[in-house]
Amino acid sequence: MQSNSNPEKKYLEQALSVEAAKEAKGVVRWKSPSNIAIVKYWGKHGNQLPNNPSLSFTLDKAATTTSVNFEEKTSDGIKLEFRFDGKSNAAFGDKIVGFFKQILPFFPFLEGLQFSIDSSNSFPHSSGIASSASSMSALVMALLDIEKQLGGGYSNEQQFLQKASFFARLASGSAARSVFPQASLWGNTTALAEGSDYFAVDLSQKIHPVFKTYRDSILIISAGTKAVSSRAGHALMNNNPYAKARYAEAHANTSALMEVLQSGDLEQFIAITESEALQLHALMMCSQPSFILMQPKSLEAIAAVRSFRKESGVPLCFTLDAGPNLHLLYPDSATNQVRTFINEQLIHLCQDHQWIDDKVGAGPEKI
Ligand code: PMV
C-alpha cells in the first residue's frame, strides 16, 4: 500500500474492541503545540479533506497540556467530564463527546471507559491565539497512548504519529500538522511523494538548519473572538470566484517553499510567506459575503515590518492566521535586533502590550 492512500480501512481493522477496556484504569498526560502555516489551508471538502496542500512550522511555547484519566465503566455510550483550567467546561466537553462518537468505529473501547479530562493552554487567556490545533492534537496523542496501553499495537513511532495526524485532522484540519517536530506538510502535492490529504507528514529531516531554530514572535493586535469562524471561512471558499486560481497558487507555493526550506534561501522564504498571508486575507475580502479579519493596526505593523527589513537588512517577515495578529518570523541570529524593533516600534500596536515570544519546537511530548 502506498503511504499516501487512505489508511481508514487499516485503522478499522486495528480497532480495539470494548473488551480491551476491562479492568482498565490509568492516566495519560500530553503537551502538544500549536503551529503556524506558511502555505495556508483554506477551503476543504468531504470529511475534512483540504482543497490544497499546506505547510507549517510547529511552535514551542504556544501549547496545550491535556491529562486524561480513564477507568472501566459498564454503561453504554460515551461518558466524560471536561475541565479547562480546573473549571468544568460543558461546551468543550460536548465537542469532545461528538468527536469520540464520530471516531467510535475506530476506537470501540471508548465506550468501555469513563474519562475525566483536564486541559490548559500555555498562552494567555483570550490572547486571540487559536487553540484548536494544540488542543486537538494533545487529545488525540492521549487517546492513542491509551489505545497503546490497552494493547493496540503500532510497529513503530512513525505509524503512531501518522495515525495521530489522521485523527487530529478529523477533529481540526490544522491539528494534523501539530504532531510533528519543526515542520510539517499536509496534502497531496507533486513536491513530495509522501504528501497526503489524509494525514500530515514530518518535514524535520528535510529542512535547512536555519529553519530548525526559526523564531516566531506573535504580536497580539487584538485578543477578541473572530467575527467569522474558520469553519465558516472554509465554507465560503466553495463559492469564492478566485478559488481555482488560489488552489493553483497554493500548489505552486508549496513546491517553491519545499525547495526554499532545503536551500535556506531567506529572500524567497520571505516572498512566499508574505504572499501566502496576504492571499489568505484577500480570499476573505472577496468571499461572498466578504469579511475582513485584519485591523488597522495589523496594516500599520505590516508597513513597519517592511520598512524595518528594507532599512536594516534583517530577514524578518510576517504571516497571519485567520485573525488580526501578526506572526513575525526570523532566524535566531536576528533575535536581539528584532526584540529591540518590537519594543521600539511595534509594542504600542499590541493589545495590552502583549506579544508571545515563540520559536520552532520539537512537537508533542508525553509528560
Ligand atoms: O484547522 P482550521 O479548520 O481551524 O483552519 C485553519 C486555517 C488557517 O489557520 C487560516 C490556516 C492554516 O493552514 O492553519
Side-chain angles (χ1 to χ4, degrees), residues 204-234:
S204 61
Q205 301 306 311
K206 296 189 166 63
I207 64 174
H208 188 278
V210 71
F211 295 116
K212 291 179 181 275
T213 55
Y214 233 59
R215 306 216 50 111
D216 180 5
S217 298
I218 312 168
L219 306 180
I220 310 303
I221 301 290
S222 169
T225 1
K226 296 180 283 188
V228 177
S229 68
S230 61
R231 174 197 286 261
H234 285 293

Side-chain angles (χ1 to χ4, degrees), residues 35 37 39-42 54 132 172-174 177 230 234 280 321-322:
N35 66 77
V39 175
K40 309 292 181 181
Y41 151 57
W42 199 239
S54 57
S132 65
S172 165
S174 55
R177 298 185 310 241
S230 61
H234 285 293
L280 172 69
D321 248 335

Side-chain angles (χ1 to χ4, degrees), residues 48 71 122 135 140 158 200 215 231 240 291 321 342:
Q48 294 271 93
E71 193 173 351
S122 62
S135 61
V140 169
Q158 202 211 334
R215 306 216 50 111
R231 174 197 286 261
N240 189 305
F291 60 107
D321 248 335
I342 292 173

Side-chain angles (χ1 to χ4, degrees), residues 175-192:
R177 298 185 310 241
S178 267
V179 307
F180 298 105
Q182 298 172 3
S184 164
L185 179 145
W186 170 37
N188 290 324
T189 162
T190 52
L192 189 72

